[in-house]
Amino acid sequence: MENEKLLPQVIIIGGGLTGLRAALEAAKSGVKAFVFSKVHPLRSHSVAAQGGVNVALGNNAEGREDSWELHTRDTIKGGDFLNDQDATALMCKEGIERIIEIEHWGCPFSRTEEGRIAQRPFGGGTFPRTAYAADRTGHALLNTLYEQCIRLKSEGLITFHDEWHVVSVIASDAICYGVIAYNLKTREVRAVISNAVIIATGGAGRIYRNSTNALINTGMGMSLGYLAGAPLKDMEFIQFHPTTLYGSNILISEGSRGEGGFLINKYGKRYLAEYPDSAKAMEMAPRDIIARNTVREIQKGNGFDNSYVLLDLRHLGGEKIEERLPGIRELSIKFAGIDPIENPIPVQPGQHYTMGGIDVNINTETNIKGLYAAGEAACVSVHGANRLGGNSLLETIVFGAIAGRNASEYAKGDYHLNESIVKEHEEKETERLSKILSSNGEKTQWDIWNALQATVMEKVGIFREKNKLKEALENIRGLINTYKDIGLTDKGRSMNMELYWAVELHGSLLISEALVMGALSREESRGSHFREDFPQRDDENFLKHTIVSYNNGSPALGYKDVDTSIMKPEERKY
Amino acid sequence: MNRYIFKILRFNPEKDKKARFAEYQVPLREGSTVLDGLFYIHKQVDPSLSFRFSCRGSVCGSCAMNINDSHRLACETQVKNLGSSIKIMPLRHLPVIKDLVVDMERFWQSYESIKPYLVSNSVNDKENIVSPAERKRLDGLIECILCGLCFGSCPVTALNENYLGPHALLKHTRFTEDLRDEYKGRLKTGVKKEGVWGCRNVFNCQEVCPKNLSPARAIIKTKLKVTRKKF
């Protein structure tokens, strides 16, 4: 790869929806795309997305009046006004084109009677605008993009490097030169040179104990940018999904409420009516509000086993469940032994989405020349303090395309290579990996993983408070220290999972620290970030993005303005 | 906690000439899956055990393997249904890289050989019109997670290394049934000796599919379609 300098090229880290959409865009502009993924691209977490993708097509009989402008306003209100409004509008507008295009590429969307892409209601939306492929929308989109990538692969424009673990972005003086990666199958370490690199590695759910995310979503990809000098933004905003399967925290789609499902307590009562911020919209209120009210309901003793409530779909009838929610039915049967046609599903809130991420502008550029980030790994910000269900898939394809386009244009420009910097990085990373591999400290990494996940879950969860956050920060800093004393026993070259997890853990620890720093300093409640000691939103002091930069081995906190060019912040009620 | 014995076929190319079974005592709580058991071993007993994983929720297709002599996804297989002794081997008919990790190269190559992408010259700024009935033709064809369980259970893939395999032929039918597809040579990519004509109607693929799909039926559908054309 080092010698393939004939065509301009882009390195894409991550093979989910964002990464693949970026690869297609790069290839279309004649730039060769190298997709690096630690798993096969079809194993990416995008595949698990269920309910759908928001786009103002106006196909639903009840949504003919819909527009991208209304979609923008709903998204900004849903985000509790922390969204950058210009970027949000761009997403909602360009999304229409992206969805039509992906339909033309073969995405098997469900259909209306007229043969148009079907749309269902989702929380926080004025109209039913969530396009879907049954309740397997992520699977349908990811397969479609991968299929189109295979077409361009056969033309030599995209190459896949599956089961390669990218461990570092090469950057110096705010210029990007490529990445360092190793082959999980052989442990061969390589410097891969390219002027343009896109980070598309998804979210950080697995720093929490109870998460819907795939086990590979450690947030380590975010740390690649962070360690290279690109700050993290708004990391304290973590979405808890109200309905995850009790026991395994496997996602139960918001589509199940969009199709008419009820949330009920142990008295069989739809408890959301009891809370002022969800009394009107009920099950169609946004996720942050329903998650909080569900925890409150359980804390009142109205749940089951002090742990869960029920999601009742029975009144929808077997036929509708089979047609619209077959995946939910399958997962409930397989993982909870419950058929939702006959019995309600036990659900509890669980970590679901990372609103924050690598700080990028509307063009997906970081502060490092040539380094781009998009999708859940990035924070543009289009979701603000709380993402609306159905907007994450939209973000992946809109900003994946933008990143692919801009990175390609940049890659076509003057080629710059600094061999000494690349060599220095390669040696440093090779040494770091060898050091981790040969480490024989007394601590096992699993103790650190467990402590991290418990700390973040218990102290940086749905309800937050100063003292708990301080403890969390202290704990995490202690764990960062302890990490230096881990020991590994597997010294093998091939598919060394112990090494893989230890490399991931380092990234997870650093981004968790940034998350808690943001949560501690944000003394207000906004969207998903709820401070019991500061229960009100405070626009005067906190209508701004949190920025955490990593300089000389320590994190520093800062802030950045929010774009409010479209609408003024108002009270958020549903 | 219940106790299980996991007997795992292990192979490390750096050390072993031959694969061998290793036994592990695994305590697991009610509701645990085979994947939970593998993680227990990896974290508590022997970190050198290698296996693939990602979603842990039956959608990504990473953890296909042979469990008690049948092919299953480790993440969705509840241990309580398996008895106290659980035998685990890698997915069949593919070379082993290490332990339960197999080299899927052949699997993906045959997938790519059927040109698994929709070709359409549509330049509308609107979506194609597809009636619900037309869309329904794809049900049972689009849900595939490409886990490889069908491939590992198919006797033809074992005997004929050129056979495309049930996964590729299901995908082939997914495109022949999609009225939006305009690729001229579509049928030919799957209708050949090592394609649909290689299938011997054993139906193992249908039996093991974690998504309840039937590549065998899809293959038959294609066979009937082309024979009808001939006569």
Side-chain angles (χ1 to χ4, degrees):
Chain A
M1 268 169 282
E2 293 89 330
N3 300 320
E4 292 184 38
K5 288 169 195 160
L6 298 171
L7 269 182
Q9 62 194 42
V10 173
I11 293 171
I12 297 162
I13 315 171
L17 284 172
T18 304
L20 297 186
R21 187 60 192 80
L24 287 171
E25 197 68 18
K28 280 203 296 185
S29 37
V31 170
K32 197 164 172 177
F34 292 88
V35 180
F36 283 81
S37 172
K38 58 189 182 185
V39 293
H40 185 280
L42 291 176
R43 319 300 187 209
S44 305
H45 187 52
S46 301
V47 80
Q50 297 173 349
V53 48
N54 296 340
V55 56
L57 298 173
N59 287 351
N60 187 298
E62 285 161 32
R64 301 275 187 241
E65 307 296 310
D66 203 5
S67 66
W68 64 264
E69 288 92 342
L70 270 172
H71 182 188
T72 304
R73 297 180 80 85
D74 284 347
T75 301
I76 294 166
K77 185 181 168 194
D80 220 348
F81 299 91
L82 195 65
N83 322 49
D84 280 318
Q85 300 186 359
D86 52 349
T88 309
L90 175 77
M91 173 176 80
C92 297
K93 191 174 178 201
E94 280 200 8
I96 296 171
E97 210 178 305
R98 292 286 82 79
I99 290 292
I100 299 300
E101 162 189 83
I102 210 164
E103 192 280 329
H104 290 174
W105 289 340
C107 185
F109 286 110
S110 296
R111 297 287 168 159
T112 64
E113 286 307 314
E114 300 85 45
R116 301 263 175 216
I117 295 172
Q119 295 182 277
R120 58 165 57 126
F122 250 49
T126 309
F127 292 116
R129 68 166 71 95
T130 307
Y132 60 94
D135 56 356
R136 303 185 182 102
T137 313
H139 175 271
L141 293 170
L142 188 67
N143 273 275
T144 304
L145 290 188
Y146 187 68
E147 289 158 9
Q148 293 298 320
C149 283
I150 291 302
R151 182 180 188 174
L152 291 163
K153 181 189 167 190
S154 67
E155 293 169 23
L157 286 166
I158 298 179
T159 61
F160 285 102
H161 305 275
D162 303 342
E163 297 183 327
W164 276 78
H165 200 190
V166 176
V167 292
S168 176
V169 166
I170 310 168
S172 179
D173 290 330
I175 298 175
C176 176
Y177 297 98
V179 301
I180 309 286
Y182 77 95
N183 185 341
L184 286 164
K185 294 186 194 110
T186 60
R187 226 177 67 212
E188 171 203 2
V189 181
R190 272 202 200 179
V192 192
I193 297 163
S194 172
N195 280 1
V197 173
I198 302 171
I199 298 177
T201 50
R206 285 290 158 179
I207 60 174
Y208 282 82
R209 190 183 52 213
N210 299 345
S211 172
T212 61
N213 286 193
L215 303 171
I216 57 173
N217 291 28
T218 60
M220 189 271 196
M222 292 174 178
S223 79
L224 294 174
Y226 184 51
L227 287 168
L232 296 171
K233 181 160 80 190
D234 291 342
M235 286 300 289
E236 64 270 33
F237 294 100
I238 295 287
Q239 179 162 83
F240 280 75
H241 197 288
T243 59
T244 80
L245 206 55
Y246 175 58
S248 58
N249 298 108
I250 286 170
L251 178 65
I252 300 296
S253 171
E254 184 164 323
S256 57
R257 283 174 282 129
E259 296 294 349
F262 297 147
L263 281 167
I264 55 175
N265 64 16
K266 72 174 176 189
Y267 304 109
K269 222 178 142 209
R270 291 172 69 192
Y271 56 87
L272 292 173
E274 303 298 317
Y275 300 89
D277 52 356
S278 61
K280 196 167 144 226
M282 295 293 285
E283 282 83 359
M284 285 289 92
R287 291 174 176 174
D288 57 333
I289 292 173
I290 300 186
R292 272 195 297 275
N293 292 344
T294 300
V295 171
R296 288 182 179 124
E297 190 69 9
I298 294 168
Q299 282 171 349
K300 274 188 201 166
N302 295 342
F304 298 82
D305 294 346
N306 269 328
S307 309
Y308 64 92
V309 293
L310 295 176
L311 174 65
D312 197 350
L313 305 181
R314 289 173 298 182
H315 54 284
L316 304 181
E319 203 179 314
K320 193 167 181 186
I321 291 175
E322 272 295 85
E323 188 207 325
R324 308 276 179 90
L325 303 165
I328 291 310
R329 180 169 181 237
E330 179 198 334
L331 293 172
S332 300
I333 293 172
K334 281 180 176 168
F335 292 94
I338 282 176
D339 183 346
I341 293 176
E342 283 153 20
N343 288 297
I345 311 169
V347 292
Q348 65 178 181
Q351 192 285 343
H352 183 57
Y353 189 83
T354 320
M355 264 78 72
I358 298 168
D359 176 28
V360 294
N361 62 18
I362 196 167
N363 302 315
T364 70
E365 296 159 331
T366 67
N367 62 340
I368 297 170
K369 246 179 127 175
L371 182 64
Y372 301 77
E376 194 174 347
C379 179
V380 182
S381 140
V382 289
H383 306 307
N386 171 63
R387 176 174 70 77
L388 290 186
N391 271 348
S392 63
L393 295 185
L394 188 66
E395 181 191 18
T396 63
I397 54 176
V398 170
F399 287 97
I402 290 171
R405 196 180 310 140
N406 292 340
S408 300
E409 283 313 306
Y410 178 77
K412 284 178 188 167
D414 289 345
Y415 187 80
H416 51 257
L417 168 67
N418 188 326
E419 283 185 26
S420 67
I421 286 172
V422 170
K423 204 158 179 279
E424 187 190 313
H425 261 81
E426 190 177 3
E427 280 166 12
K428 203 179 95 195
E429 285 302 308
T430 308
E431 198 190 306
R432 182 170 77 99
L433 289 174
S434 312
K435 213 173 137 192
I436 297 173
L437 194 72
S438 60
S439 64
N440 52 6
E442 287 177 358
K443 301 284 194 288
T444 85
Q445 60 167 318
W446 313 118
D447 292 339
I448 302 178
W449 274 113
N450 291 340
L452 173 68
Q453 289 166 338
T455 295
V456 179
M457 190 75 210
E458 284 151 24
K459 300 183 197 296
V460 203
I462 295 179
F463 294 100
R464 301 169 174 181
E465 177 266 323
K466 190 176 188 172
N467 291 326
K468 278 203 231 162
L469 290 169
K470 276 186 162 170
E471 282 168 33
L473 192 57
E474 213 171 285
N475 288 359
I476 290 165
R477 288 186 171 153
L479 295 172
I480 291 172
N481 238 347
T482 314
Y483 181 80
K484 295 171 187 146
D485 300 325
I486 59 169
L488 268 63
T489 62
D490 184 8
K491 313 292 178 191
R493 298 194 77 83
S494 182
M495 299 310 283
N496 186 326
M497 283 168 55
E498 206 185 8
L499 176 65
Y500 162 84
W501 282 115
V503 172
E504 296 278 305
L505 176 56
H506 182 246
S508 292
L509 286 166
L510 293 183
I511 61 149
S512 300
E513 182 187 29
L515 189 167
V516 183
M517 285 172 66
L520 188 59
S521 57
R522 186 173 285 276
E523 297 187 327
E524 65 155 352
S525 291
R526 182 187 297 273
S528 68
H529 173 72
F530 191 89
R531 286 281 302 255
E532 289 177 296
D533 41 356
F534 299 95
Q536 302 302 323
R537 194 174 83 197
D538 177 359
D539 286 340
E540 202 177 310
N541 293 305
F542 287 104
L543 184 57
K544 56 188 181 184
H545 298 298
T546 309
I547 297 288
V548 181
S549 337
Y550 195 75
N551 303 318
N552 305 320
S554 66
L557 195 77
Y559 291 95
K560 202 170 173 177
D561 289 343
V562 175
D563 179 272
T564 53
S565 52
I566 297 174
M567 63 193 283
K568 291 256 169 303
E570 58 188 47
E571 198 196 348
R572 182 165 168 261
K573 248 175 143 175
Y574 289 92
Chain B
M1 288 281 179
N2 296 311
R3 293 202 160 271
Y4 297 87
I5 296 169
F6 276 54
K7 294 180 185 169
I8 303 177
L9 191 63
R10 302 217 36 195
F11 175 70
N12 179 352
E14 292 172 63
K15 287 190 202 155
D16 304 330
K17 285 212 171 79
K18 232 173 89 176
R20 70 203 145 75
F21 276 100
E23 277 193 26
Y24 304 91
Q25 306 275 341
V26 183
L28 291 169
R29 62 179 174 80
E30 179 76 22
S32 296
T33 63
V34 169
L35 189 67
D36 294 328
L38 293 175
F39 270 112
Y40 174 86
I41 297 166
H42 176 63
K43 293 179 183 180
Q44 308 289 334
V45 189
D46 186 350
S48 75
L49 177 68
S50 302
F51 50 94
R52 287 195 177 102
F53 56 86
S54 174
C55 78
R56 68 77 176 82
S58 186
V59 285
C60 81
S62 297
C63 60
M65 53 187 75
N66 189 303
I67 300 167
N68 279 359
D69 294 318
S70 77
H71 286 86
R72 309 173 200 244
L73 297 178
C75 71
E76 65 167 33
T77 304
Q78 301 285 329
V79 284
K80 69 173 180 209
N81 303 330
L82 297 172
S84 62
S85 175
I86 300 168
K87 188 171 78 174
I88 302 173
M89 299 188 288
L91 191 65
R92 290 208 185 112
H93 315 333
L94 292 164
V96 173
I97 295 173
K98 182 170 178 256
D99 296 337
L100 302 172
V101 178
V102 293
D103 183 350
M104 307 268 297
E105 191 60 29
R106 181 184 157 200
F107 179 85
W108 293 118
Q109 268 176 10
S110 68
Y111 161 85
E112 287 179 25
S113 79
I114 63 108
K115 302 195 188 298
Y117 40 80
L118 189 105
V119 177
S120 159
N121 303 315
S122 173
V123 284
N124 292 334
D125 56 0
K126 284 271 181 199
E127 70 265 50
N128 294 298
I129 298 296
V130 177
S131 73
E134 288 167 342
R135 166 60 181 73
K136 227 177 161 65
R137 292 159 64 111
L138 304 183
D139 283 350
L141 302 171
I142 50 173
E143 299 86 348
C144 173
I145 59 172
L146 290 154
C147 62
L149 286 175
C150 57
F151 191 92
S153 70
C154 173
V156 185
T157 61
L159 295 169
N160 177 358
E161 65 177 34
N162 295 318
Y163 178 52
L164 296 181
H167 67 302
L169 295 169
L170 181 83
K171 190 62 96 175
H172 177 254
T173 315
R174 178 249 174 276
F175 287 105
T176 59
E177 286 299 305
D178 194 326
L179 301 174
R180 296 172 295 178
D181 185 48
E182 297 172 36
Y183 180 55
K184 293 274 188 303
R186 176 63 68 199
L187 267 175
K188 276 191 201 152
T189 60
V191 180
K192 47 185 167 186
K193 200 167 124 241
E194 60 276 20
V196 292
W197 301 119
C199 173
R200 303 261 71 96
N201 302 342
V202 180
F203 277 75
N204 279 1
C205 53
Q206 176 181 303
E207 198 177 311
V208 299
C209 179
K211 298 289 139 186
N212 281 322
L213 310 179
S214 179
R217 273 172 180 272
I219 291 166
I220 289 169
K221 192 169 195 170
T222 304
K223 283 174 171 171
L224 289 173
K225 195 174 189 170
V226 293
T227 45
R228 219 179 275 138
K229 247 188 195 166
K230 267 185 190 162
F231 296 103

